[in-house]
C-alpha cells in the first residue's frame, strides 16, 4: 500500500515550488505566503481529509493513471505523433524568432507572439501570464492584444497561480496560461480531476526552465548593481543587441527611480551552479515542459547564441500550436525553420545531464538521508561516473548554502567573502569532471 502524504510534508521537505494549486483545493482556507528562504509556499493549516496533494506536481505518491509526465502527456497530448526519450511527445521542433516581438522579449519573442495569436484569433479570450504590477511581477489576467508587449519577458522571481482558479470560476471565455514545467503539470493534474477545465484552459505555453530562483536571488543582483535599499521594476534579460545572446544584463530602479544595470557576466555562472535555486527543482526531470501545448526556450546553440537579439527553440505538442508556428512562418511574421530535435536537445544539454541523467543519484541520496522524494520516472535512472557524483554533491551544498548565507548576511560583501570558497570548490570539481569527460571521449569510453 502506498504511504499517503500531505501538502505539509511537501512544504516541510522543501519540495514546493509555489504553484499554488493546493490553495485552489482548500475552500479558501489556505493562501500563499513568502517563506524566509524567499519562496512562495502555502500557508499550511492542517485540514482534515486534506486531499489537495492530488494536484501537487511534487506528490510522492500520485494516482497511478497520472503518476508522471509520461502518463499525463498520453492523456493530454494525443495529437503528438512523435516521442523522444528526453523531450517527450511532440509534433515539430523549430528555431526562430518573431519579427515584431524579438527585441522586446527574453529570447525570440515567440511566447508573446503565440499569446497575441491566441487572443487575435479568438482561441482564447484571456491570458493568465506574469506581468508587472506595482513595480514587481505577478501572475495576472490580461485580455488586450493591442498591448501585448506589456506581457513580454521572463521574470526570475517566484510567482504563483494561486488566483487562477478563483478567476476562472467567474470568467466567461477561454484562457491561455504561461508556466514552467511544474506549474504546467499542476494545471494538467487539475484538469484531470476537473475535466470541465480542459476546455476552459485552452492553451498552455511552456517556459523551459533551468530552475526556479528564490526572491533572495533578485536581492543579491540588486546589491550587485549598487542599489542599497528599495528597488523596483527589475529587468532580468537586458539584451546586448551587438553582442552574444548570453551577454545579457540585469537592471533595477532604485528608490529615486534611477536605473542601475550590469552585465550578468559580473556575477559569474548563476544557473549551472544552482545558486539560490529551489531544492524542489533538483527533483524535476521535465526539462522541456513536456505537458504544454508549446515549449519555448533559449536557442543556446550556434549560430543563434552568437546573436544578442535572441532566438527561441520551439517544441510544438498540439495541433493548434503547430498550426500557429507554421502559419507565422508562412506569412512572414516568424523567421523560423525546422530544427532537428537533436539540436533542440543540445541547446539544453547541461539541463538534461543534471535533471535527467543525475536524477537517480540525488534520489538515492535522499533515500539514504531518509528524506521525502517526489515520484519520479525510473526510465531516467542511470548510474553516473564518480567525477559527476562529486559535482552533484557539491552543487547541492552550494545551492543550500547560497540561501542560508544570504539570509544570515544580507550584505553582498560578507556574502561573497563567505560564499567564495564554496563557489571555487565547485568550480574546481566541475573542471576536473569536464577534463575526465574529455579524456573519456578521446579514449572512446562512454560519456554523459
Ligand atoms: C525561472 C526561469 C528559468 C528559465 N530557465 C531556462 C533555461 O534553463 N533554458 C532556457 O532555454 N530557457 C529558460 N528560461 C526561458 C527563457 O528565459 C525564455 O522565457 C523563453 O525562451 C521564452 O522566451 P520568449 O522570448 O519566447 O518569451 P517572451 O516573448 O519574452 O515572453 C515571456 C512569457 O513568459 C511569461 N513569464 C514571465 N515570467 C514568467 C514566470 N516566472 N513563470 C511563468 N511565465 C512567465 C510572460 O508573461 C510572457 O508571456 C527560463 C525562464 C524562467 C522564468
Amino acid at each position: 500500500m502506498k504511504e499517503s502524504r500531505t501538502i505539509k510534508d511537501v512544504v516541510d521537505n522543501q519540495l514546493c515550488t509555489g504553484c499554488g494549486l493546493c490553495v485552489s483545493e482548500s475552500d479558501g482556507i489556505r493562501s500563499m505566503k513568502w517563506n524566509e528562504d524567499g519562496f512562495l509556499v502555502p500557508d499550511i493549516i492542517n485540514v482534515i481529509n486534506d486531499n489537495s496533494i492530488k494536484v501537487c506536481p511534487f506528490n510522492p505518491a500520485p494516482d497511478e493513471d497520472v503518476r508522471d509526465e509520461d502518463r499525463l502527456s498520453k492523456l493530454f497530448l494525443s495529437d503528438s505523433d512523435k516521442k523522444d526519450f528526453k523531450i517527450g511527445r511532440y509534433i515539430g521542433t523549430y528555431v526562430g524568432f518573431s519579427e515584431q516581438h524579438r527585441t522586446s522579449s527574453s529570447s525570440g519573442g515567440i511566447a508573446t507572439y503565440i499569446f497575441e495569436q491566441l487572443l487575435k484569433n479568438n482561441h482564447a479570450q484571456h491570458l493568465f501570464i506574469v506581468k508587472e504590477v506595482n513595480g514587481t511581477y505577478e501572475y495576472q489576467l490580461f485580455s488586450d492584444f493591442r498591448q501585448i508587449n506589456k506581457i513580454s519577458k521572463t521574470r526570475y522571481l517566484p510567482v504563483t497561480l494561486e488566483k487562477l482558479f478563483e478567476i476562472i470560476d467567474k470568467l466567461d471565455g477561454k484562457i491561455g496560461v504561461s508556466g514552467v514545467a511544474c506549474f504546467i503539470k499542476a494545471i494538467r493534474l487539475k484538469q484531470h480531476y476537473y475535466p470541465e477545465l480542459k476546455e476552459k484552459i485552452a492553451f498552455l505555453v511552456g517556459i523551459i526552465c533551468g530552475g526556479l530562483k528564490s526572491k533572495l536571488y533578485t536581492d543579491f543582483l540588486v546589491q550587485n548593481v549598487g542599489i542599497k535599499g528599495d528597488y523596483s521594476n527589475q529587468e532580468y534579460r537586458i539584451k546586448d543587441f551587438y553582442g552574444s545572446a548570453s551577454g545579457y544584463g540585469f537592471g533595477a530602479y532604485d528608490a529615486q527611480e534611477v536605473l542601475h544595470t550590469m552585465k550578468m557576466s559580473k556575477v559569474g555562472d548563476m544557473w549551472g551552479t544552482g545558486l539560490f535555486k529551489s531544492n524542489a527543482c533538483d527533483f524535476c526531470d521535465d526539462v522541456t515542459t513536456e505537458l504544454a501545448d508549446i515549449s519555448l526556450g533559449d536557442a543556446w546553440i550556434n549560430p543563434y547564441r552568437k546573436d544578442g537579439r535572441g532566438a527561441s527553440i520551439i517544441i510544438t505538442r498540439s495541433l493548434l500550436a503547430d498550426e500557429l508556428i507554421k502559419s507565422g512562418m508562412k506569412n512572414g511574421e516568424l523567421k523560423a525553420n525546422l530544427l532537428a530535435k537533436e539540436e533542440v536537445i543540445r541547446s539544453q544539454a547541461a539541463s538534461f545531464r543534471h535533471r535527467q541523467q543525475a536524477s537517480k543519484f540525488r534520489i538515492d541520496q535522499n533515500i539514504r538521508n531518509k528524506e521525502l522524494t517526489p515520484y519520479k520516472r525510473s526510465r531516467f535512472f542511470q548510474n553516473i561516473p564518480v567525477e559527476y557524483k562529486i559535482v552533484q554533491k557539491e552543487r547541492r551544498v552550494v545551492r543550500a548554502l547560497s540561501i542560508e548565507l544570504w539570509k544570515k548576511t544580507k550584505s553582498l560583501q560578507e556574502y561573497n567573502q563567505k560564499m567564495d570558497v564554496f563557489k571555487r570548490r565547485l568550480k574546481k570539481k566541475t573542471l576536473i569532471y569536464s577534463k575526465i569527460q574529455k579524456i573519456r571521449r578521446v579514449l572512446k569510453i562512454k560519456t554523459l
Side-chain angles (χ1 to χ4, degrees), residues 101-102 104-113 115 128-131 139 150-159 178-180 183 205-213 237 239 271 296-300 311-313 347-348 351 355:
H101 304 302
R102 179 192 208 183
S104 48
S105 289
S106 281
S107 311
I110 304 290
T112 305
Y113 175 79
F115 278 132
F128 199 64
I129 43 72
V130 176
K131 184 175 150 308
Y139 264 106
K150 291 209 161 140
I151 74 159
S152 298
K153 291 225 173 169
T154 32
R155 316 294 181 180
Y156 305 136
L157 187 75
V159 287
S178 72
V180 293
F183 282 39
V205 172
I207 303 291
I208 290 179
C209 166
L212 292 173
K213 298 289 194 194
R237 299 280 299 247
K239 286 180 176 175
W271 293 96
L296 305 169
D298 289 290
W300 296 132
S312 302
I313 52 149
S347 81
Q348 309 292 325
S351 198
R355 310 253 295 282

Side-chain angles (χ1 to χ4, degrees), residues 54-261:
K54 67 177 193 256
V55 293
C56 174
F58 292 92
N59 186 355
D63 287 342
E64 195 57 24
D65 50 348
V66 287
R67 67 178 190 200
D68 58 28
E69 289 77 359
D70 293 347
R71 296 281 168 106
L72 281 161
S73 68
K74 206 168 162 191
L75 295 176
F76 284 92
L77 299 166
S78 54
D79 290 335
S80 291
D81 53 351
K82 303 182 194 82
K83 219 157 118 185
D84 175 78
F85 187 81
K86 291 185 171 186
I87 66 171
R89 284 169 184 266
Y90 71 102
I91 297 176
T93 48
Y94 307 84
V95 65
F97 58 87
S98 150
E99 280 281 26
Q100 197 189 338
H101 304 302
R102 179 192 208 183
T103 49
S104 48
S105 289
S106 281
S107 311
I110 304 290
T112 305
Y113 175 79
I114 291 289
F115 278 132
E116 183 182 35
Q117 296 309 308
L118 291 178
L119 291 179
K120 261 187 178 170
N121 299 317
N122 233 7
H123 298 297
Q125 290 70 44
H126 313 280
L127 307 175
F128 199 64
I129 43 72
V130 176
K131 184 175 150 308
E132 189 265 339
V133 54
N134 300 328
T136 185
Y137 302 98
E138 286 174 13
Y139 264 106
Q140 54 194 289
L141 201 64
F142 183 89
S143 313
D144 183 1
F145 70 78
R146 284 160 306 195
Q147 298 198 52
I148 199 75
N149 277 349
K150 291 209 161 140
I151 74 159
S152 298
K153 291 225 173 169
T154 32
R155 316 294 181 180
Y156 305 136
L157 187 75
V159 287
T160 177
L161 294 166
E162 177 187 19
K163 299 269 173 347
L164 173 60
F165 297 93
E166 247 177 61
I167 290 171
I168 274 188
D169 283 346
K170 299 170 199 143
L171 202 68
D172 281 335
K174 296 179 185 178
I175 193 160
V177 185
S178 72
V180 293
C182 50
F183 282 39
I184 299 284
K185 182 178 179 188
I187 293 174
R188 290 304 190 198
L189 286 166
K190 186 88 180 177
Q191 286 179 314
H192 172 74
Y193 292 110
Y194 303 89
E196 65 278 13
L197 289 173
K198 288 182 190 170
E199 210 184 311
K200 193 94 187 167
I201 303 175
F203 199 93
L204 296 177
V205 172
I207 303 291
I208 290 179
C209 166
L212 292 173
K213 298 289 194 194
S214 154
K215 183 181 176 293
L216 307 184
Y217 171 63
T218 304
D219 296 345
F220 163 82
L221 294 178
V222 161
Q223 285 201 20
N224 268 287
V225 287
I227 299 177
K228 294 275 184 281
D230 291 346
Y231 63 87
S232 65
N233 295 75
Q234 61 277 15
E235 282 293 335
Y236 298 87
R237 299 280 299 247
I238 302 174
K239 286 180 176 175
D240 176 356
F241 294 143
Y242 305 103
S244 69
S246 55
Y248 63 86
F250 172 84
Y253 290 84
D254 66 17
Q256 283 72 45
E257 296 188 13
V258 177
L259 175 66
H260 300 245
T261 61

